[in-house]
Amino acid sequence: MDTSVAIIGSGPSGLMLGQLLHRAGIDAVVIDNKSPEHIMSRIRAGVLETVTVELLDEAGVGDRLHAKGLVHEGINLAFGGKLHRIDFEGLTGRHVVVYGQTEVTRDLMDARTASGGASVYEAEDVRIEGFDADRPTVRYRKDGTEHRLRCDFIAGCDGFHGVCRQSLPVQAYQTVERVYPFGWIGLLSDTPPVADELIYVNHERGFALCSMRSNTRSRYYLQCTLAERVEEWTDERFWTELKLRLDPQIAQRLVTGSSIEKSIAPLRSFVVEPMRFGRLFLAGDAAHIVPPTGAKGLNLAASDIRYLSRALIRFYRTGDSDGLGGYSERCLRRVWLAERFSWWMTSILHRFPDAGEFGARIQRAELEYLVRSRAAATALAESYVGLPIED
Ligand code: RFL
Ligand code: PHB
């Protein structure tokens, strides 16, 4: 079996790339080591920038998103016993769309099935070779049989724990990383959201986030320690702790119910440089991780794929490889701006164990400045709705 582009990973990055290439008439195979059911059961992102929405439209999968996605023109910051709204539309003329990553993945998988694109799920022992030479190869085992797929390019869309980055010689790349001394526990429930817009809470007991997937499905998060295990968090404990971190009048409105899903995620900032090695291109979480506070992970994956799909299409149409040559530099410029924003949002909203009194006062001053200065609020808003993308 041969193809033009072997896409490792069937998360949002790999599926978006597969769909964009398919529409341009470029052959690709998507290979994932998990089952479609497992991939669909991962509850992750919920907030889409305009750049991401436009890319999903371009991939031909925007219909459900436009019908069901919720347009949000702002967010709320809760601190010092008050709610402060950041008005994205008023400050930037732009908004975000709340639509779950699970739904994005479903729409893309449905489109791939409808278009007859080749996908291999539950591939075992996926290996990549020869990407520094002319004919890269992907090997994997499926149902006990060894397979070899030769291709022109490999797209490493296999997430943070994937095989592509790990296949690089150590001297070929550099990683830059920060690990935070806490995580988030998330709970999904079929209950109406506590407010119309997201609430990011800075509280002395720790950060909390009230988010949603629809008007009937809520997603809540709490800052927790890294030592905690999800089994220790009964639904009741979660709701009690969330209420303690919310202002009393909001806590009163909170509708609780049994969880559909609960999970703990550590917070991390991580970048690989460069993102291209010969005929291998890393994209999405395989190349960079941001703490979820700025809602940037999936959106960065989409902007990588926008650059990569355009570069590949240009190469196959005209033979011009300039787009491929500039891929890493272009991506990394936007990646680092999102890394900065996500780190900053994390730093102003969470309790840091060793911050001390000075750290607490500076954090409070940052928040006060944000709600008093139009310039500061605009800086938050323009990053949250998504910085411009280079063409
Ligand atoms: P994914 O989604 O991890 O998909 C990678 C795929 O690769 C497969 N794979 C392999 N396949 C073959 N061989 C191997 N050896 C493989 N190893 C792995 C996996 O099975 C999987 O199918 O990466 P991708 O596509 O780059 O997508 C990135 C996004 O998933 C991620 O950035 C976001 O979820 C981050 N994120 C958020 N992003 C936003 O833009 N807005 C948000 O509101 C937001 N909230 C979040 C988030 C991430 C969270 N967690 C759990 C980390 C909230 C949370 C809690
Ligand atoms: C989510 O709804 O999962 C979500 C929303 C905003 C964030 C992170 C996660 O910053």
Side-chain angles (χ1 to χ4, degrees):
M1 186 159 71
D2 282 6
T3 189
S4 302
V5 183
I7 301 175
I8 314 297
S10 178
S13 302
L15 288 167
M16 272 190 264
L17 181 62
Q19 224 34 42
L20 291 162
L21 293 182
H22 170 77
R23 285 170 81 91
I26 299 166
D27 190 46
V29 178
V30 177
I31 301 165
D32 203 291
N33 60 358
K34 296 285 190 314
S35 68
E37 296 72 33
H38 178 95
I39 294 168
M40 292 298 306
S41 71
R42 290 194 288 239
I43 308 295
R44 288 185 172 174
V47 177
L48 309 183
E49 296 173 359
T50 308
V51 167
T52 308
V53 172
E54 285 171 359
L55 196 73
L56 291 166
D57 278 335
E58 207 179 302
V61 296
D63 289 354
R64 259 186 8 116
L65 159 63
H66 289 292
K68 300 212 163 159
L70 306 173
V71 170
H72 279 207
E73 297 185 350
I75 54 165
N76 295 289
L77 301 178
F79 63 92
K82 280 210 194 95
L83 214 56
H84 307 266
R85 183 163 187 269
I86 306 285
D87 176 6
F88 297 158
E89 199 63 54
L91 294 165
T92 67
R94 295 164 64 204
H95 59 257
V96 290
V97 175
V98 169
Y99 188 68
Q101 179 169 329
T102 318
E103 306 304 315
V104 171
T105 308
R106 185 200 314 276
D107 296 346
L108 284 162
M109 275 191 182
D110 287 352
R112 184 151 190 90
T113 308
S115 66
S119 304
V120 182
Y121 287 103
E122 297 174 278
E124 292 168 59
D125 195 17
V126 178
R127 285 145 288 154
I128 60 169
E129 299 160 4
F131 48 83
D132 48 352
D134 270 355
R135 202 72 179 144
T137 304
V138 181
R139 293 178 194 275
Y140 60 93
R141 203 167 46 249
K142 170 85 183 161
D143 301 326
T145 308
E146 274 293 327
H147 295 265
R148 187 184 69 169
L149 174 68
R150 295 200 303 167
C151 53
D152 301 329
F153 300 102
I154 299 175
C157 301
D158 50 350
F160 182 62
H161 300 287
V163 68
C164 291
R165 192 180 69 247
Q166 289 170 26
S167 305
L168 297 170
V170 282
Q171 68 279 9
Y173 69 103
Q174 186 193 358
T175 60
V176 189
E177 182 172 31
R178 164 157 302 192
V179 177
Y180 299 86
F182 42 74
W184 282 15
I185 175 159
L187 179 147
L188 187 72
S189 64
D190 274 330
T191 53
V194 71
D196 295 340
E197 292 179 333
L198 272 59
I199 308 177
Y200 287 82
V201 184
N202 177 306
H203 192 274
E204 60 188 21
R205 296 182 67 89
F207 169 79
L209 171 60
C210 305
S211 182
M212 66 192 75
R213 291 291 175 270
S214 70
N215 291 323
T216 55
R217 183 168 283 189
S218 300
R219 180 73 166 160
Y220 296 103
Y221 295 98
L222 295 172
Q223 176 180 352
C224 61
T225 70
L226 291 172
E228 275 162 296
R229 290 180 313 128
V230 73
E231 302 80 57
E232 295 161 359
W233 283 86
T234 59
D235 290 359
E236 198 191 330
R237 178 177 170 207
F238 187 98
W239 293 120
T240 305
E241 183 61 32
L242 177 60
K243 281 184 187 163
L244 290 171
R245 298 185 192 186
L246 296 176
D247 298 340
Q249 60 296 8
I250 298 171
Q252 232 173 31
R253 287 208 308 262
L254 182 72
V255 181
T256 63
S258 38
S259 62
I260 310 172
E261 193 263 2
K262 247 184 319 205
S263 50
I264 293 184
L267 266 66
R268 181 194 300 275
S269 300
F270 174 87
V271 181
V272 179
E273 292 177 341
M275 289 170 57
R276 178 208 174 172
F277 311 86
R279 289 173 171 265
L280 167 67
F281 295 84
L282 297 179
D285 279 15
H288 39 72
I289 295 290
V290 286
T293 327
K296 286 284 159 260
L298 173 59
N299 292 303
L300 269 188
S303 61
D304 290 352
I305 294 305
R306 189 171 184 272
Y307 291 136
L308 183 55
S309 58
R310 278 166 169 59
L312 286 167
I313 292 167
R314 188 163 146 198
F315 174 80
Y316 281 107
R317 289 211 175 130
T318 67
D320 174 356
S321 60
D322 284 0
L324 294 172
Y327 170 74
S328 177
E329 248 178 69
R330 268 183 150 190
C331 288
L332 286 167
R333 276 198 287 275
R334 200 162 190 272
V335 165
W336 274 110
L337 293 173
E339 290 285 347
R340 183 208 68 84
F341 177 65
S342 308
W343 159 82
W344 173 76
M345 284 284 278
T346 304
S347 71
I348 64 168
L349 288 167
H350 291 76
R351 279 284 161 273
F352 284 74
D354 55 0
E357 191 54 25
F358 183 77
R361 299 293 181 106
I362 290 290
Q363 198 179 56
R364 183 59 186 262
E366 277 269 12
L367 290 164
E368 292 287 346
Y369 180 49
L370 260 181
V371 299
R372 284 190 202 173
S373 156
R374 189 178 168 90
T378 307
L380 185 157
E382 74 172 357
S383 271
Y384 199 102
V385 299
L387 292 171
I389 190 143
E390 296 168 36
D391 253 319

PDB file of all heavy atoms in Angstrom, residues 181-192:
ATOM      1  N   PRO A 181       2.699  23.012  39.099  1.00  0.00           N
ATOM      2  CA  PRO A 181       2.552  22.154  40.293  1.00  0.00           C
ATOM      3  C   PRO A 181       1.092  21.866  40.644  1.00  0.00           C
ATOM      4  O   PRO A 181       0.728  21.862  41.809  1.00  0.00           O
ATOM      5  CB  PRO A 181       3.226  23.000  41.387  1.00  0.00           C
ATOM      6  CG  PRO A 181       3.032  24.412  40.951  1.00  0.00           C
ATOM      7  CD  PRO A 181       3.012  24.406  39.441  1.00  0.00           C
ATOM      8  N   PHE A 182       0.241  21.683  39.631  1.00  0.00           N
ATOM      9  CA  PHE A 182      -1.171  21.351  39.869  1.00  0.00           C
ATOM     10  C   PHE A 182      -1.788  20.807  38.582  1.00  0.00           C
ATOM     11  O   PHE A 182      -1.164  20.845  37.519  1.00  0.00           O
ATOM     12  CB  PHE A 182      -1.962  22.580  40.356  1.00  0.00           C
ATOM     13  CG  PHE A 182      -1.623  23.865  39.634  1.00  0.00           C
ATOM     14  CD1 PHE A 182      -2.055  24.087  38.342  1.00  0.00           C
ATOM     15  CD2 PHE A 182      -0.847  24.848  40.259  1.00  0.00           C
ATOM     16  CE1 PHE A 182      -1.738  25.270  37.677  1.00  0.00           C
ATOM     17  CE2 PHE A 182      -0.526  26.034  39.595  1.00  0.00           C
ATOM     18  CZ  PHE A 182      -0.967  26.242  38.305  1.00  0.00           C
ATOM     19  N   GLY A 183      -3.014  20.302  38.706  1.00  0.00           N
ATOM     20  CA  GLY A 183      -3.745  19.815  37.537  1.00  0.00           C
ATOM     21  C   GLY A 183      -5.162  20.352  37.565  1.00  0.00           C
ATOM     22  O   GLY A 183      -5.502  21.200  38.407  1.00  0.00           O
ATOM     23  N   TRP A 184      -5.988  19.880  36.627  1.00  0.00           N
ATOM     24  CA  TRP A 184      -7.420  20.201  36.614  1.00  0.00           C
ATOM     25  C   TRP A 184      -8.178  18.890  36.709  1.00  0.00           C
ATOM     26  O   TRP A 184      -7.863  17.940  35.983  1.00  0.00           O
ATOM     27  CB  TRP A 184      -7.832  20.846  35.294  1.00  0.00           C
ATOM     28  CG  TRP A 184      -7.502  22.277  35.095  1.00  0.00           C
ATOM     29  CD1 TRP A 184      -6.632  23.049  35.827  1.00  0.00           C
ATOM     30  CD2 TRP A 184      -8.044  23.123  34.060  1.00  0.00           C
ATOM     31  NE1 TRP A 184      -6.601  24.325  35.306  1.00  0.00           N
ATOM     32  CE2 TRP A 184      -7.458  24.401  34.229  1.00  0.00           C
ATOM     33  CE3 TRP A 184      -8.948  22.925  33.029  1.00  0.00           C
ATOM     34  CZ2 TRP A 184      -7.751  25.470  33.383  1.00  0.00           C
ATOM     35  CZ3 TRP A 184      -9.240  23.984  32.188  1.00  0.00           C
ATOM     36  CH2 TRP A 184      -8.652  25.247  32.372  1.00  0.00           C
ATOM     37  N   ILE A 185      -9.214  18.885  37.550  1.00  0.00           N
ATOM     38  CA  ILE A 185     -10.177  17.792  37.462  1.00  0.00           C
ATOM     39  C   ILE A 185     -11.400  18.350  36.747  1.00  0.00           C
ATOM     40  O   ILE A 185     -11.896  19.423  37.098  1.00  0.00           O
ATOM     41  CB  ILE A 185     -10.519  17.173  38.836  1.00  0.00           C
ATOM     42  CG1 ILE A 185     -11.627  16.130  38.643  1.00  0.00           C
ATOM     43  CG2 ILE A 185     -10.893  18.209  39.909  1.00  0.00           C
ATOM     44  CD1 ILE A 185     -11.735  15.118  39.731  1.00  0.00           C
ATOM     45  N   GLY A 186     -11.845  17.649  35.715  1.00  0.00           N
ATOM     46  CA  GLY A 186     -12.988  18.097  34.915  1.00  0.00           C
ATOM     47  C   GLY A 186     -14.181  17.188  35.124  1.00  0.00           C
ATOM     48  O   GLY A 186     -14.014  15.975  35.322  1.00  0.00           O
ATOM     49  N   LEU A 187     -15.364  17.757  35.113  1.00  0.00           N
ATOM     50  CA  LEU A 187     -16.605  16.977  35.238  1.00  0.00           C
ATOM     51  C   LEU A 187     -17.569  17.421  34.151  1.00  0.00           C
ATOM     52  O   LEU A 187     -17.757  18.619  33.933  1.00  0.00           O
ATOM     53  CB  LEU A 187     -17.211  17.191  36.630  1.00  0.00           C
ATOM     54  CG  LEU A 187     -18.545  16.475  36.940  1.00  0.00           C
ATOM     55  CD1 LEU A 187     -18.600  16.088  38.418  1.00  0.00           C
ATOM     56  CD2 LEU A 187     -19.762  17.321  36.588  1.00  0.00           C
ATOM     57  N   LEU A 188     -18.146  16.433  33.462  1.00  0.00           N
ATOM     58  CA  LEU A 188     -19.143  16.713  32.425  1.00  0.00           C
ATOM     59  C   LEU A 188     -20.496  16.210  32.942  1.00  0.00           C
ATOM     60  O   LEU A 188     -20.576  15.110  33.489  1.00  0.00           O
ATOM     61  CB  LEU A 188     -18.756  15.949  31.159  1.00  0.00           C
ATOM     62  CG  LEU A 188     -19.554  16.211  29.892  1.00  0.00           C
ATOM     63  CD1 LEU A 188     -19.225  17.588  29.324  1.00  0.00           C
ATOM     64  CD2 LEU A 188     -19.232  15.146  28.824  1.00  0.00           C
ATOM     65  N   SER A 189     -21.544  17.014  32.793  1.00  0.00           N
ATOM     66  CA  SER A 189     -22.862  16.555  33.276  1.00  0.00           C
ATOM     67  C   SER A 189     -23.976  17.107  32.401  1.00  0.00           C
ATOM     68  O   SER A 189     -23.838  18.193  31.816  1.00  0.00           O
ATOM     69  CB  SER A 189     -23.079  17.015  34.719  1.00  0.00           C
ATOM     70  OG  SER A 189     -23.133  18.424  34.778  1.00  0.00           O
ATOM     71  N   ASP A 190     -25.057  16.352  32.327  1.00  0.00           N
ATOM     72  CA  ASP A 190     -26.224  16.832  31.582  1.00  0.00           C
ATOM     73  C   ASP A 190     -27.079  17.712  32.480  1.00  0.00           C
ATOM     74  O   ASP A 190     -28.151  17.323  32.931  1.00  0.00           O
ATOM     75  CB  ASP A 190     -27.007  15.646  30.999  1.00  0.00           C
ATOM     76  CG  ASP A 190     -26.428  15.242  29.655  1.00  0.00           C
ATOM     77  OD1 ASP A 190     -25.889  16.132  28.952  1.00  0.00           O
ATOM     78  OD2 ASP A 190     -26.466  14.050  29.325  1.00  0.00           O
ATOM     79  N   THR A 191     -26.550  18.889  32.752  1.00  0.00           N
ATOM     80  CA  THR A 191     -27.235  19.893  33.566  1.00  0.00           C
ATOM     81  C   THR A 191     -27.091  21.219  32.830  1.00  0.00           C
ATOM     82  O   THR A 191     -26.103  21.419  32.117  1.00  0.00           O
ATOM     83  CB  THR A 191     -26.570  20.019  34.954  1.00  0.00           C
ATOM     84  OG1 THR A 191     -25.161  20.246  34.757  1.00  0.00           O
ATOM     85  CG2 THR A 191     -26.770  18.776  35.806  1.00  0.00           C
ATOM     86  N   PRO A 192     -28.049  22.138  32.971  1.00  0.00           N
ATOM     87  CA  PRO A 192     -27.899  23.432  32.283  1.00  0.00           C
ATOM     88  C   PRO A 192     -26.714  24.216  32.871  1.00  0.00           C
ATOM     89  O   PRO A 192     -26.500  24.168  34.086  1.00  0.00           O
ATOM     90  CB  PRO A 192     -29.223  24.145  32.569  1.00  0.00           C
ATOM     91  CG  PRO A 192     -29.857  23.408  33.690  1.00  0.00           C
ATOM     92  CD  PRO A 192     -29.316  22.022  33.698  1.00  0.00           C
TER      93      PRO A 192
END
